[in-house]
Amino acid sequence: NAEYMGPDLNKRDIDTAAAGAAGKQDELKSASRDAQTKVKDKDLAALVANHSGYIGKAAAATGAAATEFGGNRSAENDVKACDAADKLAEKLQAFVNDLKRYEAEHAGPPDSSTAISSMAQDLKDHARQFKDAASHDPAVLAGLELADLMERLAEASRAANGNEIINVAKAINELAKRIATDAIGVSKTVAKDSMRETIVGCANNMKNSGVQLKILSSVKASNCACNVRDPTAEDQLISCCRTLQRAVLQSMDNVVVSRLMK
């Protein structure tokens, strides 16, 4: 939908761009052949080969339209060049969409180590936002400690180290109980009902998640020992860690504010 750009465009640049677009057709033909011979997954090979052909034709058409516009810079040729470029963009987007669809359809079981590591980093980033006196609050320091333990759990999961998974889960459970106890203590000094209820609710979630994590860690360790990948167990482990992390994040914010308001 670009408007006509007039005669000020540099013809050499137009010709260079046109030749570059047109030249991609040969490269894409080669990529299409490679996909059919080198990619073992037949569905993926067909997907890449087909889209390479579509994109190659669209690139050639874009190059031809740009060349025509370079020779005759009319508004009509400008529109044709823009339309060709739009069609090329559509072909590229279609390729991206189909690759995403293929990836989703062929995705393996969820990876708890990656998810837990991400949660640990988010928790650490959040805790580090507190400044001055708040940065030394026990809730913040405990949050950083939990982030380190969650990262250790992710590493143990990644390495399929069953003993370490169980040991770290136990340490997380003990820390969760400690954070919850501190939070409940602070809640008793809070006058605002909604804040007090939030803190207590978070504390309960922490304690429950810590106990659940100990159970799930035993299942994970057993699966590691048997070299079994259980998608349901992985999902449950991720969900448990996420519940714990969110409870700690929310509690941290409210506890720090409550202590500062004393």
Side-chain angles (χ1 to χ4, degrees), residues 3-46:
E3 295 181 356
Y4 171 55
M5 298 180 183
D8 295 332
L9 288 173
N10 187 305
K11 186 176 186 305
R12 183 180 60 186
D13 291 343
I14 295 173
D15 290 343
T16 300
K24 292 299 177 185
Q25 184 173 27
D26 291 335
E27 293 180 27
L28 287 161
K29 284 181 180 178
S30 177
S32 177
R33 288 192 296 270
D34 287 345
Q36 294 177 68
T37 58
K38 296 180 180 179
V39 178
K40 294 181 180 180
D41 188 308
K42 292 182 178 180
D43 290 337
L44 179 59

mmCIF file of all heavy atoms in Angstrom, residues 3-46:
data_model
loop_
_atom_site.group_PDB
_atom_site.id
_atom_site.type_symbol
_atom_site.label_atom_id
_atom_site.label_comp_id
_atom_site.label_asym_id
_atom_site.label_seq_id
_atom_site.Cartn_x
_atom_site.Cartn_y
_atom_site.Cartn_z
ATOM 1 N N GLU A 3 2.736 4.527 -1.233
ATOM 2 C CA GLU A 3 2.376 5.508 -2.254
ATOM 3 C C GLU A 3 3.503 5.623 -3.272
ATOM 4 O O GLU A 3 4.652 5.287 -3.010
ATOM 5 C CB GLU A 3 2.112 6.855 -1.588
ATOM 6 C CG GLU A 3 0.902 6.840 -0.648
ATOM 7 C CD GLU A 3 0.651 8.197 -0.022
ATOM 8 O OE1 GLU A 3 1.464 9.103 -0.273
ATOM 9 O OE2 GLU A 3 -0.339 8.329 0.719
ATOM 10 N N TYR A 4 3.157 6.147 -4.448
ATOM 11 C CA TYR A 4 4.137 6.365 -5.507
ATOM 12 C C TYR A 4 5.242 7.285 -5.009
ATOM 13 O O TYR A 4 4.977 8.326 -4.423
ATOM 14 C CB TYR A 4 3.431 6.984 -6.729
ATOM 15 C CG TYR A 4 4.362 7.445 -7.809
ATOM 16 C CD1 TYR A 4 5.292 6.574 -8.357
ATOM 17 C CD2 TYR A 4 4.304 8.750 -8.291
ATOM 18 C CE1 TYR A 4 6.139 6.994 -9.364
ATOM 19 C CE2 TYR A 4 5.140 9.177 -9.294
ATOM 20 C CZ TYR A 4 6.064 8.295 -9.829
ATOM 21 O OH TYR A 4 6.905 8.717 -10.818
ATOM 22 N N MET A 5 6.493 6.869 -5.200
ATOM 23 C CA MET A 5 7.617 7.586 -4.599
ATOM 24 C C MET A 5 8.274 8.607 -5.517
ATOM 25 O O MET A 5 9.202 9.300 -5.114
ATOM 26 C CB MET A 5 8.668 6.572 -4.122
ATOM 27 C CG MET A 5 8.129 5.633 -3.049
ATOM 28 S SD MET A 5 9.378 4.459 -2.509
ATOM 29 C CE MET A 5 8.428 3.479 -1.353
ATOM 30 N N GLY A 6 7.837 8.680 -6.772
ATOM 31 C CA GLY A 6 8.358 9.731 -7.638
ATOM 32 C C GLY A 6 9.696 9.402 -8.250
ATOM 33 O O GLY A 6 10.261 8.333 -8.063
ATOM 34 N N PRO A 7 10.273 10.347 -9.009
ATOM 35 C CA PRO A 7 11.487 10.101 -9.788
ATOM 36 C C PRO A 7 12.779 10.256 -9.000
ATOM 37 O O PRO A 7 13.860 10.110 -9.556
ATOM 38 C CB PRO A 7 11.395 11.174 -10.874
ATOM 39 C CG PRO A 7 10.707 12.305 -10.174
ATOM 40 C CD PRO A 7 9.711 11.673 -9.259
ATOM 41 N N ASP A 8 12.719 10.536 -7.702
ATOM 42 C CA ASP A 8 13.941 10.799 -6.951
ATOM 43 C C ASP A 8 14.664 9.527 -6.533
ATOM 44 O O ASP A 8 15.774 9.585 -6.012
ATOM 45 C CB ASP A 8 13.631 11.637 -5.693
ATOM 46 C CG ASP A 8 13.130 13.030 -6.066
ATOM 47 O OD1 ASP A 8 13.521 13.497 -7.142
ATOM 48 O OD2 ASP A 8 12.366 13.607 -5.285
ATOM 49 N N LEU A 9 14.028 8.370 -6.715
ATOM 50 C CA LEU A 9 14.684 7.123 -6.347
ATOM 51 C C LEU A 9 15.886 6.869 -7.244
ATOM 52 O O LEU A 9 15.872 7.173 -8.441
ATOM 53 C CB LEU A 9 13.707 5.960 -6.476
ATOM 54 C CG LEU A 9 12.606 5.891 -5.404
ATOM 55 C CD1 LEU A 9 11.624 4.794 -5.764
ATOM 56 C CD2 LEU A 9 13.207 5.626 -4.042
ATOM 57 N N ASN A 10 16.922 6.284 -6.665
ATOM 58 C CA ASN A 10 18.142 5.972 -7.406
ATOM 59 C C ASN A 10 17.931 4.709 -8.227
ATOM 60 O O ASN A 10 17.664 3.644 -7.671
ATOM 61 C CB ASN A 10 19.291 5.779 -6.392
ATOM 62 C CG ASN A 10 20.622 5.610 -7.082
ATOM 63 O OD1 ASN A 10 20.772 4.733 -7.919
ATOM 64 N ND2 ASN A 10 21.571 6.459 -6.712
ATOM 65 N N LYS A 11 18.052 4.805 -9.558
ATOM 66 C CA LYS A 11 17.780 3.658 -10.422
ATOM 67 C C LYS A 11 18.737 2.510 -10.141
ATOM 68 O O LYS A 11 18.366 1.344 -10.192
ATOM 69 C CB LYS A 11 17.875 4.066 -11.897
ATOM 70 C CG LYS A 11 17.465 2.943 -12.859
ATOM 71 C CD LYS A 11 17.473 3.404 -14.295
ATOM 72 C CE LYS A 11 16.923 2.327 -15.213
ATOM 73 N NZ LYS A 11 17.617 1.037 -15.070
ATOM 74 N N ARG A 12 19.993 2.842 -9.826
ATOM 75 C CA ARG A 12 20.973 1.793 -9.555
ATOM 76 C C ARG A 12 20.551 0.959 -8.341
ATOM 77 O O ARG A 12 20.650 -0.264 -8.348
ATOM 78 C CB ARG A 12 22.353 2.414 -9.313
ATOM 79 C CG ARG A 12 23.450 1.373 -9.086
ATOM 80 C CD ARG A 12 24.786 2.052 -8.850
ATOM 81 N NE ARG A 12 24.730 2.913 -7.673
ATOM 82 C CZ ARG A 12 25.730 3.716 -7.297
ATOM 83 N NH1 ARG A 12 26.828 3.806 -8.027
ATOM 84 N NH2 ARG A 12 25.607 4.460 -6.216
ATOM 85 N N ASP A 13 20.055 1.644 -7.310
ATOM 86 C CA ASP A 13 19.600 0.917 -6.115
ATOM 87 C C ASP A 13 18.401 0.045 -6.429
ATOM 88 O O ASP A 13 18.280 -1.073 -5.928
ATOM 89 C CB ASP A 13 19.247 1.913 -4.999
ATOM 90 C CG ASP A 13 20.474 2.611 -4.441
ATOM 91 O OD1 ASP A 13 21.592 2.092 -4.677
ATOM 92 O OD2 ASP A 13 20.321 3.658 -3.795
ATOM 93 N N ILE A 14 17.489 0.583 -7.275
ATOM 94 C CA ILE A 14 16.311 -0.192 -7.655
ATOM 95 C C ILE A 14 16.731 -1.445 -8.408
ATOM 96 O O ILE A 14 16.268 -2.558 -8.128
ATOM 97 C CB ILE A 14 15.350 0.649 -8.519
ATOM 98 C CG1 ILE A 14 14.779 1.811 -7.701
ATOM 99 C CG2 ILE A 14 14.223 -0.220 -9.066
ATOM 100 C CD1 ILE A 14 13.965 2.775 -8.520
ATOM 101 N N ASP A 15 17.644 -1.281 -9.373
ATOM 102 C CA ASP A 15 18.096 -2.415 -10.182
ATOM 103 C C ASP A 15 18.822 -3.449 -9.319
ATOM 104 O O ASP A 15 18.671 -4.658 -9.512
ATOM 105 C CB ASP A 15 19.007 -1.929 -11.301
ATOM 106 C CG ASP A 15 18.253 -1.140 -12.363
ATOM 107 O OD1 ASP A 15 17.006 -1.261 -12.395
ATOM 108 O OD2 ASP A 15 18.894 -0.409 -13.140
ATOM 109 N N THR A 16 19.627 -2.962 -8.370
ATOM 110 C CA THR A 16 20.359 -3.874 -7.483
ATOM 111 C C THR A 16 19.400 -4.687 -6.630
ATOM 112 O O THR A 16 19.536 -5.902 -6.477
ATOM 113 C CB THR A 16 21.317 -3.084 -6.564
ATOM 114 O OG1 THR A 16 22.257 -2.367 -7.375
ATOM 115 C CG2 THR A 16 22.048 -4.012 -5.617
ATOM 116 N N ALA A 17 18.396 -4.001 -6.090
ATOM 117 C CA ALA A 17 17.398 -4.685 -5.264
ATOM 118 C C ALA A 17 16.600 -5.682 -6.091
ATOM 119 O O ALA A 17 16.316 -6.800 -5.642
ATOM 120 C CB ALA A 17 16.465 -3.664 -4.626
ATOM 121 N N ALA A 18 16.253 -5.270 -7.320
ATOM 122 C CA ALA A 18 15.480 -6.146 -8.195
ATOM 123 C C ALA A 18 16.265 -7.400 -8.544
ATOM 124 O O ALA A 18 15.741 -8.518 -8.497
ATOM 125 C CB ALA A 18 15.093 -5.392 -9.470
ATOM 126 N N ALA A 19 17.531 -7.231 -8.858
ATOM 127 C CA ALA A 19 18.376 -8.377 -9.204
ATOM 128 C C ALA A 19 18.561 -9.297 -8.001
ATOM 129 O O ALA A 19 18.573 -10.525 -8.124
ATOM 130 C CB ALA A 19 19.734 -7.892 -9.705
ATOM 131 N N GLY A 20 18.684 -8.689 -6.834
ATOM 132 C CA GLY A 20 18.844 -9.487 -5.622
ATOM 133 C C GLY A 20 17.624 -10.325 -5.332
ATOM 134 O O GLY A 20 17.717 -11.508 -4.991
ATOM 135 N N ALA A 21 16.445 -9.743 -5.481
ATOM 136 C CA ALA A 21 15.202 -10.477 -5.244
ATOM 137 C C ALA A 21 15.036 -11.595 -6.255
ATOM 138 O O ALA A 21 14.697 -12.731 -5.908
ATOM 139 C CB ALA A 21 14.014 -9.527 -5.304
ATOM 140 N N ALA A 22 15.274 -11.289 -7.515
ATOM 141 C CA ALA A 22 15.125 -12.283 -8.565
ATOM 142 C C ALA A 22 16.135 -13.420 -8.390
ATOM 143 O O ALA A 22 15.832 -14.592 -8.622
ATOM 144 C CB ALA A 22 15.289 -11.637 -9.934
ATOM 145 N N GLY A 23 17.342 -13.065 -7.968
ATOM 146 C CA GLY A 23 18.389 -14.073 -7.798
ATOM 147 C C GLY A 23 18.104 -15.073 -6.703
ATOM 148 O O GLY A 23 18.667 -16.180 -6.686
ATOM 149 N N LYS A 24 17.227 -14.709 -5.770
ATOM 150 C CA LYS A 24 16.909 -15.622 -4.674
ATOM 151 C C LYS A 24 16.156 -16.858 -5.158
ATOM 152 O O LYS A 24 16.130 -17.871 -4.478
ATOM 153 C CB LYS A 24 16.072 -14.898 -3.613
ATOM 154 C CG LYS A 24 16.813 -13.814 -2.853
ATOM 155 C CD LYS A 24 18.003 -14.380 -2.100
ATOM 156 C CE LYS A 24 18.784 -13.278 -1.391
ATOM 157 N NZ LYS A 24 20.011 -13.808 -0.763
ATOM 158 N N GLN A 25 15.550 -16.769 -6.342
ATOM 159 C CA GLN A 25 14.773 -17.909 -6.819
ATOM 160 C C GLN A 25 15.671 -19.126 -7.001
ATOM 161 O O GLN A 25 15.321 -20.238 -6.607
ATOM 162 C CB GLN A 25 14.060 -17.574 -8.123
ATOM 163 C CG GLN A 25 13.158 -18.719 -8.601
ATOM 164 C CD GLN A 25 12.309 -18.326 -9.794
ATOM 165 O OE1 GLN A 25 12.685 -17.450 -10.566
ATOM 166 N NE2 GLN A 25 11.164 -18.971 -9.943
ATOM 167 N N ASP A 26 16.860 -18.926 -7.579
ATOM 168 C CA ASP A 26 17.784 -20.044 -7.783
ATOM 169 C C ASP A 26 18.251 -20.623 -6.444
ATOM 170 O O ASP A 26 18.355 -21.843 -6.282
ATOM 171 C CB ASP A 26 18.986 -19.597 -8.611
ATOM 172 C CG ASP A 26 18.615 -19.287 -10.064
ATOM 173 O OD1 ASP A 26 17.602 -19.860 -10.527
ATOM 174 O OD2 ASP A 26 19.313 -18.492 -10.699
ATOM 175 N N GLU A 27 18.531 -19.719 -5.480
ATOM 176 C CA GLU A 27 18.964 -20.191 -4.168
ATOM 177 C C GLU A 27 17.868 -21.007 -3.487
ATOM 178 O O GLU A 27 18.126 -22.036 -2.848
ATOM 179 C CB GLU A 27 19.344 -19.009 -3.276
ATOM 180 C CG GLU A 27 20.585 -18.252 -3.745
ATOM 181 C CD GLU A 27 20.929 -17.095 -2.822
ATOM 182 O OE1 GLU A 27 20.567 -17.182 -1.624
ATOM 183 O OE2 GLU A 27 21.526 -16.113 -3.279
ATOM 184 N N LEU A 28 16.633 -20.553 -3.636
ATOM 185 C CA LEU A 28 15.522 -21.248 -3.005
ATOM 186 C C LEU A 28 15.218 -22.580 -3.685
ATOM 187 O O LEU A 28 14.806 -23.535 -3.043
ATOM 188 C CB LEU A 28 14.286 -20.350 -3.000
ATOM 189 C CG LEU A 28 14.383 -19.198 -1.980
ATOM 190 C CD1 LEU A 28 13.387 -18.091 -2.324
ATOM 191 C CD2 LEU A 28 14.115 -19.721 -0.577
ATOM 192 N N LYS A 29 15.440 -22.639 -4.985
ATOM 193 C CA LYS A 29 15.293 -23.920 -5.689
ATOM 194 C C LYS A 29 16.301 -24.925 -5.139
ATOM 195 O O LYS A 29 15.990 -26.101 -4.931
ATOM 196 C CB LYS A 29 15.505 -23.731 -7.196
ATOM 197 C CG LYS A 29 14.334 -23.090 -7.917
ATOM 198 C CD LYS A 29 14.636 -22.976 -9.405
ATOM 199 C CE LYS A 29 13.470 -22.334 -10.152
ATOM 200 N NZ LYS A 29 13.773 -22.176 -11.608
ATOM 201 N N SER A 30 17.520 -24.437 -4.911
ATOM 202 C CA SER A 30 18.554 -25.300 -4.353
ATOM 203 C C SER A 30 18.184 -25.750 -2.946
ATOM 204 O O SER A 30 18.359 -26.920 -2.579
ATOM 205 C CB SER A 30 19.892 -24.549 -4.322
ATOM 206 O OG SER A 30 20.899 -25.339 -3.716
ATOM 207 N N ALA A 31 17.639 -24.815 -2.148
ATOM 208 C CA ALA A 31 17.214 -25.148 -0.786
ATOM 209 C C ALA A 31 16.096 -26.179 -0.810
ATOM 210 O O ALA A 31 16.046 -27.081 0.032
ATOM 211 C CB ALA A 31 16.753 -23.887 -0.055
ATOM 212 N N SER A 32 15.215 -26.050 -1.796
ATOM 213 C CA SER A 32 14.108 -26.998 -1.929
ATOM 214 C C SER A 32 14.628 -28.399 -2.224
ATOM 215 O O SER A 32 14.178 -29.381 -1.631
ATOM 216 C CB SER A 32 13.163 -26.537 -3.042
ATOM 217 O OG SER A 32 12.126 -27.472 -3.235
ATOM 218 N N ARG A 33 15.606 -28.493 -3.114
ATOM 219 C CA ARG A 33 16.191 -29.801 -3.440
ATOM 220 C C ARG A 33 16.903 -30.389 -2.226
ATOM 221 O O ARG A 33 16.802 -31.589 -1.939
ATOM 222 C CB ARG A 33 17.161 -29.656 -4.620
ATOM 223 C CG ARG A 33 16.481 -29.407 -5.969
ATOM 224 C CD ARG A 33 17.469 -29.572 -7.108
ATOM 225 N NE ARG A 33 18.541 -28.579 -7.054
ATOM 226 C CZ ARG A 33 18.487 -27.381 -7.648
ATOM 227 N NH1 ARG A 33 17.402 -27.052 -8.343
ATOM 228 N NH2 ARG A 33 19.496 -26.538 -7.570
ATOM 229 N N ASP A 34 17.641 -29.532 -1.515
ATOM 230 C CA ASP A 34 18.354 -30.011 -0.325
ATOM 231 C C ASP A 34 17.389 -30.552 0.721
ATOM 232 O O ASP A 34 17.658 -31.559 1.380
ATOM 233 C CB ASP A 34 19.181 -28.874 0.292
ATOM 234 C CG ASP A 34 20.411 -28.545 -0.535
ATOM 235 O OD1 ASP A 34 20.770 -29.371 -1.393
ATOM 236 O OD2 ASP A 34 21.000 -27.468 -0.314
ATOM 237 N N ALA A 35 16.274 -29.849 0.881
ATOM 238 C CA ALA A 35 15.293 -30.274 1.881
ATOM 239 C C ALA A 35 14.767 -31.670 1.565
ATOM 240 O O ALA A 35 14.594 -32.506 2.455
ATOM 241 C CB ALA A 35 14.139 -29.281 1.935
ATOM 242 N N GLN A 36 14.537 -31.929 0.290
ATOM 243 C CA GLN A 36 13.964 -33.213 -0.098
ATOM 244 C C GLN A 36 14.962 -34.361 0.061
ATOM 245 O O GLN A 36 14.569 -35.508 0.247
ATOM 246 C CB GLN A 36 13.482 -33.138 -1.554
ATOM 247 C CG GLN A 36 12.319 -32.173 -1.743
ATOM 248 C CD GLN A 36 11.905 -32.056 -3.191
ATOM 249 O OE1 GLN A 36 11.390 -33.004 -3.770
ATOM 250 N NE2 GLN A 36 12.108 -30.904 -3.783
ATOM 251 N N THR A 37 16.253 -34.061 -0.004
ATOM 252 C CA THR A 37 17.255 -35.125 0.069
ATOM 253 C C THR A 37 17.918 -35.248 1.445
ATOM 254 O O THR A 37 18.385 -36.320 1.816
ATOM 255 C CB THR A 37 18.361 -34.879 -0.987
ATOM 256 O OG1 THR A 37 18.952 -33.594 -0.756
ATOM 257 C CG2 THR A 37 17.785 -34.934 -2.387
ATOM 258 N N LYS A 38 17.957 -34.134 2.208
ATOM 259 C CA LYS A 38 18.719 -34.143 3.464
ATOM 260 C C LYS A 38 17.870 -34.177 4.730
ATOM 261 O O LYS A 38 18.340 -34.604 5.777
ATOM 262 C CB LYS A 38 19.648 -32.919 3.509
ATOM 263 C CG LYS A 38 20.709 -32.928 2.419
ATOM 264 C CD LYS A 38 21.594 -31.685 2.507
ATOM 265 C CE LYS A 38 22.647 -31.689 1.412
ATOM 266 N NZ LYS A 38 23.515 -30.477 1.464
ATOM 267 N N VAL A 39 16.631 -33.686 4.648
ATOM 268 C CA VAL A 39 15.770 -33.680 5.834
ATOM 269 C C VAL A 39 15.083 -35.032 5.962
ATOM 270 O O VAL A 39 14.373 -35.465 5.063
ATOM 271 C CB VAL A 39 14.709 -32.548 5.748
ATOM 272 C CG1 VAL A 39 13.794 -32.592 6.973
ATOM 273 C CG2 VAL A 39 15.392 -31.190 5.652
ATOM 274 N N LYS A 40 15.323 -35.705 7.097
ATOM 275 C CA LYS A 40 14.814 -37.064 7.277
ATOM 276 C C LYS A 40 13.299 -37.099 7.449
ATOM 277 O O LYS A 40 12.645 -38.027 6.995
ATOM 278 C CB LYS A 40 15.504 -37.707 8.477
ATOM 279 C CG LYS A 40 17.002 -37.921 8.265
ATOM 280 C CD LYS A 40 17.635 -38.584 9.478
ATOM 281 C CE LYS A 40 19.130 -38.795 9.247
ATOM 282 N NZ LYS A 40 19.781 -39.440 10.415
ATOM 283 N N ASP A 41 12.755 -36.108 8.144
ATOM 284 C CA ASP A 41 11.308 -36.068 8.358
ATOM 285 C C ASP A 41 10.634 -35.678 7.049
ATOM 286 O O ASP A 41 10.799 -34.566 6.549
ATOM 287 C CB ASP A 41 10.975 -35.044 9.447
ATOM 288 C CG ASP A 41 9.511 -35.089 9.848
ATOM 289 O OD1 ASP A 41 8.660 -35.008 8.950
ATOM 290 O OD2 ASP A 41 9.232 -35.185 11.060
ATOM 291 N N LYS A 42 9.853 -36.591 6.490
ATOM 292 C CA LYS A 42 9.251 -36.362 5.177
ATOM 293 C C LYS A 42 8.269 -35.190 5.181
ATOM 294 O O LYS A 42 8.187 -34.433 4.214
ATOM 295 C CB LYS A 42 8.561 -37.635 4.689
ATOM 296 C CG LYS A 42 9.528 -38.771 4.372
ATOM 297 C CD LYS A 42 8.791 -39.988 3.844
ATOM 298 C CE LYS A 42 9.778 -41.097 3.496
ATOM 299 N NZ LYS A 42 9.094 -42.319 2.976
ATOM 300 N N ASP A 43 7.498 -35.055 6.268
ATOM 301 C CA ASP A 43 6.536 -33.960 6.341
ATOM 302 C C ASP A 43 7.243 -32.610 6.366
ATOM 303 O O ASP A 43 6.820 -31.660 5.685
ATOM 304 C CB ASP A 43 5.669 -34.093 7.605
ATOM 305 C CG ASP A 43 4.712 -35.264 7.513
ATOM 306 O OD1 ASP A 43 4.408 -35.682 6.383
ATOM 307 O OD2 ASP A 43 4.280 -35.759 8.570
ATOM 308 N N LEU A 44 8.319 -32.519 7.157
ATOM 309 C CA LEU A 44 9.077 -31.269 7.226
ATOM 310 C C LEU A 44 9.771 -30.987 5.900
ATOM 311 O O LEU A 44 9.814 -29.843 5.438
ATOM 312 C CB LEU A 44 10.103 -31.337 8.355
ATOM 313 C CG LEU A 44 10.982 -30.101 8.537
ATOM 314 C CD1 LEU A 44 10.132 -28.863 8.817
ATOM 315 C CD2 LEU A 44 11.983 -30.318 9.670
ATOM 316 N N ALA A 45 10.307 -32.025 5.278
ATOM 317 C CA ALA A 45 10.980 -31.856 3.985
ATOM 318 C C ALA A 45 10.009 -31.304 2.941
ATOM 319 O O ALA A 45 10.342 -30.395 2.177
ATOM 320 C CB ALA A 45 11.550 -33.190 3.522
ATOM 321 N N ALA A 46 8.793 -31.866 2.917
ATOM 322 C CA ALA A 46 7.787 -31.402 1.954
ATOM 323 C C ALA A 46 7.389 -29.964 2.249
ATOM 324 O O ALA A 46 7.223 -29.152 1.325
ATOM 325 C CB ALA A 46 6.560 -32.306 2.011
#
